[in-house]
């Protein structure tokens, strides 16, 4: 007869105990079958709004749940006894396994090892899946190179608007809330000329298409036309911008005397305008030249836009129809078209191509103030709004935009590059983002403690003639910044 080993005998004992345990459970269940009847008798004396049939059914279900938990509890106790007996047997043979607590010992080691493997697999899978998404974003942004070239510092208050001259010599013009305009050398950053003829905040500046004249709009309810003559200084070696700024000091918090210590206080100053346009009853927020430079259009908070003759200073037309204050006006580069934007969430297209007919079209697509609307070289209008959207419209189909750009902050005065057809969006949150005409994001201008704007960015303007510094931005941190934007042709075609 074969002799049974110690392990096989122990296994037989465990099986016998399990059989006897199952029989005891069955006997327990059979003896407890009269519990529901007792509970029903107890519940009959209690007040309840439930029907007796529903209460009985609930009692049966709760009784079954209670019996299941009781069986599991008994099985758990029996398993603990078996584990203790096996530990004692293994201890007698010289082996130790801490099986009294399943959360420790070998079982815990195996569980932790398997868990670490699972977490590692999850991390690998997550990285592999997200890397595709991240790479798709990098494909549209990393190839656009944006570099800060020059900072133009000298105004004593926030800068509302800026523009680049259309004739030689090329200079940068800024309009500020300090009641002044300044003309800057693009290469050296030195102030060449200062205009101080306004009695209020200067809200807009635009240059004549063929002559050395500037058009400015002001909070003193007037628009001025003034002539300028500047001579560009000799170029100087580029200075280290990062070394001139302090990380711990925000320029917007510096004293106003800091701006007076630079060159702008020493540059020539013009105090009398060549022509003053007076017809508005409110703040003149913007002004622009019509094609040819013989007429100008102004936009005001009096809810009207005026068309003036430059030579006679006479009011030619008053453009009314907006329900609230106007915020911006822009003229087409090659046609007699004007677009005005307003706080009434609309912008209007005015057509002066036919002298006898002055048609107007209303664009409704925003839910908040339209901060600006500008023409492109083609038959498109791009509008920006405080509702955090920018929309591209086709002049031939005004019912719906052909592209919509959604942002995380209100959009101020936008500009569109004529050559590259890139939209520059200045935001309230100090960011400047670049998009193409299809609404695809191309880049975001860098901003840190050492470079970029520190307060709201008010306006952007492209410079098509200078590749070294082809985009300018200004903000309420009292400075204008020149950028070099290099976007490959392949990226623009997408």
């Amino acid at each position: 007869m074969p002799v049974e080993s110690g392990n096989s005998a122990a296994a037989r004992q465990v099986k016998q105990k399990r059989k006897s345990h199952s029989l005891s459970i069955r006997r327990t269940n059979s003896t407890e079958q009269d519990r529901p009847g007792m509970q029903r008798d107890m519940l009959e004396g209690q007040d309840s709004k439930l029907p007796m049939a529903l209460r009985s059914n609930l009692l049966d279900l709760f009784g079954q749940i209670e019996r299941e938990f009781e069986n599991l509890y008994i099985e758990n106790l029996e398993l603990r006894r078996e584990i203790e007996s096996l530990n004692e047997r293994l201890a007698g043979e010289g082996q130790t396994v801490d099986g009294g607590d399943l959360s420790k010992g070998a079982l815990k080691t195996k569980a932790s090892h398997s868990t670490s493997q699972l977490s590692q697999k999850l991390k690998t899978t997550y990285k592999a899946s997200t890397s595709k998404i991240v790479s798709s974003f990098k494909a549209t942004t990393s190839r656009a190179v944006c570099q800060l070239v020059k900072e133009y510092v000298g105004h004593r208050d926030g800068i509302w608007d800026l523009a680049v001259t259309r004739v030689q010599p090329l200079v940068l013009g800024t309009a500020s809330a300090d009641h002044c305009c300044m003309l800057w050398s693009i290469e050296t950053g030195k102030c060449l000329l200062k205009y101080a003829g306004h009695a209020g905040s200067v809200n807009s500046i635009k240059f004549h298409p063929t002559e050395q004249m500037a058009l400015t709009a002001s909070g003193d309810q007037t628009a001025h036309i003034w002539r300028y003559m500047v001579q560009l200084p000799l170029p100087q070696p580029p200075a280290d911008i990062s070394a001139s700024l302090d990380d711990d000091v925000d320029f917007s918090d510096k004293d106003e005397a800091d701006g007076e210590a630079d060159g702008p206080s020493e540059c020539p100053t013009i105090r009398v305008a060549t022509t003053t346009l007076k017809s508005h009853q409110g703040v003149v927020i913007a002004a622009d030249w019509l094609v040819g430079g013989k007429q100008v259009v102004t936009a005001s908070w009096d809810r009207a836009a005026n068309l003036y003759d430059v030579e006679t200073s006479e009011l030619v037309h008053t453009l009314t129809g907006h329900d609230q204050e106007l915020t911006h006006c822009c003229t087409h580069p090659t046609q007699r078209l004007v677009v005005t934007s307003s706080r009434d969430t609309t912008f209007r297209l005015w057509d002066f191509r036919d002298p006898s007919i002055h048609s107007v079209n209303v664009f409704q697509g925003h839910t908040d103030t339209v901060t600006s609307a500008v023409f492109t070289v083609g038959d498109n209008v791009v509008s920006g709004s405080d509702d955090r959207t920018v929309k591209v419209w086709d002049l031939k189909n005004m019912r719906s935009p052909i592209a919509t750009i959604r942002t995380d902050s209100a959009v101020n005065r936008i500009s569109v590059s004529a050559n590259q057809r890139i939209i520059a969006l200045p935001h309230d949150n100090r960011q400047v983002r670049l998009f193409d005409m299809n609404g695809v994001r191309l880049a975001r201008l860098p901003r840190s403690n050492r470079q970029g704007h520190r307060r709201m960015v008010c306006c952007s303007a492209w410079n098509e003639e200078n590749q070294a510094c082809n985009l300018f931005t200004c903000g309420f941190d009292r400075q204008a910044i020149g950028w070099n934007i290099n976007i490959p042709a392949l990226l623009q075609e997408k």
Side-chain angles (χ1 to χ4, degrees):
M1 295 290 293
V3 179
E4 293 181 348
S5 62
N7 293 334
S8 61
R12 290 184 59 188
Q13 292 179 1
V14 171
K15 290 181 180 180
Q16 291 177 359
K17 288 183 179 181
R18 288 182 178 177
K19 290 181 179 180
S20 62
H21 171 64
S22 62
L23 292 175
S24 64
I25 291 175
R26 292 175 183 175
R27 295 192 189 97
T28 303
N29 293 339
S30 62
T31 56
E32 297 294 333
Q33 288 179 354
D34 57 344
R35 282 188 181 181
M38 296 174 59
Q39 293 175 350
R40 290 192 184 93
D41 296 338
M42 293 175 62
L43 290 174
E44 288 178 355
Q46 298 180 2
D47 295 336
S48 177
K49 296 182 181 180
L50 296 176
M52 184 57 65
L54 180 58
R55 295 175 66 188
S56 301
N57 188 16
L58 289 174
L59 285 175
D60 292 337
L61 295 175
F62 289 144
Q64 295 177 13
I65 294 172
E66 182 182 1
R67 287 193 296 271
E68 291 294 332
F69 274 105
E70 185 178 2
N71 295 338
L72 291 174
Y73 178 73
I74 295 173
E75 289 181 2
N76 188 19
L77 293 177
E78 190 65 27
L79 288 174
R80 287 182 178 274
R81 296 193 190 100
E82 294 177 3
I83 291 173
E84 291 175 358
S85 63
L86 289 175
N87 282 337
E88 293 175 359
R89 186 180 298 277
L90 293 174
E93 296 178 357
Q95 302 178 5
T96 58
V97 175
D98 190 6
D101 190 354
L102 295 178
S103 63
K104 299 179 179 180
L107 293 177
K108 181 179 179 181
T109 303
K110 292 180 180 179
S112 63
H113 181 65
S114 61
T115 304
S116 64
Q117 289 181 343
L118 179 60
S119 64
Q120 187 65 29
K121 290 181 179 179
L122 290 174
K123 289 180 181 179
T124 305
T125 306
Y126 175 77
K127 289 181 179 180
S129 60
T130 55
S131 63
K132 297 180 180 180
I133 302 176
V134 174
S135 62
S136 64
F137 280 108
K138 289 182 179 179
T140 60
T141 59
S142 61
R143 290 181 292 176
V145 180
C146 306
Q147 182 180 5
L148 187 148
V149 178
K150 185 68 64 175
E151 292 180 339
Y152 308 88
V153 180
H155 280 289
R156 300 178 60 185
D157 208 337
I159 304 175
W160 292 118
D161 196 16
L162 50 72
V164 180
T165 58
R166 306 184 192 182
V167 295
Q168 297 294 336
L170 293 179
V171 296
L172 173 68
T174 55
S176 172
D178 62 4
H179 302 187
C180 295
C181 292
M182 291 183 180
L183 303 186
W184 308 82
S185 170
I186 296 177
E187 287 75 15
T188 64
K190 180 180 179 181
C191 180
L192 306 176
L193 183 67
K194 182 177 180 180
Y195 178 73
H198 283 289
S201 171
V202 186
N203 303 317
S204 172
I205 181 171
K206 288 292 184 293
F207 291 102
H208 194 277
T210 59
E211 300 182 26
Q212 292 186 351
M213 289 195 301
L215 170 65
T216 53
S218 174
D220 60 8
Q221 303 184 5
T222 65
H224 289 183
I225 299 175
W226 45 277
R227 291 185 176 273
Y228 64 89
M229 291 184 63
V230 294
Q231 184 176 1
L232 296 180
L234 297 176
Q236 299 177 357
D240 187 3
I241 297 175
S242 61
S244 62
L245 295 177
D246 188 1
D247 290 342
D248 299 332
V249 179
D250 190 349
F251 179 80
S252 59
D253 296 330
K254 293 182 180 180
D255 295 335
E256 294 180 353
D258 293 347
E260 297 177 349
D262 297 332
S265 60
E266 303 174 357
C267 65
T269 302
I270 299 176
R271 301 186 181 274
V272 179
T274 305
T275 303
T276 301
L277 306 177
K278 300 178 181 179
S279 293
H280 286 291
Q281 304 300 319
V283 171
V284 183
I285 195 65
D288 200 357
W289 303 85
L290 264 73
V291 58
K294 295 182 179 180
Q295 291 180 329
V296 298
V297 61
T298 58
S300 173
W301 284 5
D302 61 7
R303 306 183 184 182
N306 290 341
L307 186 65
Y308 294 94
D309 184 87
V310 174
E311 292 183 0
T312 62
S313 305
E314 294 181 357
L315 178 63
V316 180
H317 293 289
T318 298
L319 312 179
T320 59
H322 284 289
D323 296 331
Q324 296 186 30
E325 296 88 343
L326 273 65
T327 58
H328 191 249
C329 66
C330 180
T331 60
H332 196 279
T334 59
Q335 303 181 56
R336 291 177 55 83
L337 298 174
V338 177
V339 61
T340 57
S341 55
S342 171
R343 292 183 181 177
D344 60 8
T345 72
T346 68
F347 65 95
R348 293 176 176 243
L349 175 65
W350 310 84
D351 190 349
F352 297 101
R353 289 175 292 186
D354 189 346
S356 59
I357 302 176
H358 300 149
S359 62
V360 57
N361 296 309
V362 182
F363 290 75
Q364 297 177 343
H366 291 284
T367 59
D368 206 338
T369 299
V370 182
T371 54
S372 65
V374 298
F375 289 100
T376 65
V377 176
D379 295 330
N380 296 118
V381 174
V382 183
S383 60
S385 172
D386 281 342
D387 63 5
R388 303 181 181 181
T389 64
V390 175
K391 299 188 177 184
V392 182
W393 306 79
D394 188 353
L395 294 178
K396 299 177 182 179
N397 183 12
M398 301 174 295
R399 296 181 179 179
S400 61
I402 59 177
T404 300
I405 302 171
R406 302 188 184 278
T407 65
D408 58 352
S409 178
V411 182
N412 296 314
R413 293 184 178 178
I414 61 179
S415 62
V416 181
S417 171
N419 296 337
Q420 304 181 42
R421 294 176 62 83
I422 301 174
I423 310 171
L425 309 183
H427 293 283
D428 279 355
N429 63 357
R430 302 173 290 175
Q431 302 287 354
V432 180
R433 295 180 173 90
L434 305 180
F435 289 81
D436 65 8
M437 296 296 292
N438 297 321
V440 178
R441 178 176 169 178
L442 302 178
R444 185 188 70 178
L445 300 190
R447 191 187 67 82
S448 63
N449 291 333
R450 291 183 175 270
Q451 63 179 7
H453 288 286
R454 297 163 182 83
R455 288 191 177 182
M456 174 182 66
V457 187
C458 301
C459 181
S460 63
W462 289 92
N463 179 19
E464 307 293 347
E465 303 297 331
N466 191 336
Q467 296 299 324
C469 192
N470 53 8
L471 177 65
F472 296 95
T473 58
C474 65
F476 222 63
D477 54 2
R478 300 181 291 179
Q479 68 173 341
I481 300 179
W483 305 86
N484 175 256
I485 310 298
N486 184 10
I487 299 180
L490 292 176
L491 190 57
Q492 299 178 37
E493 293 176 356
K494 290 186 178 182

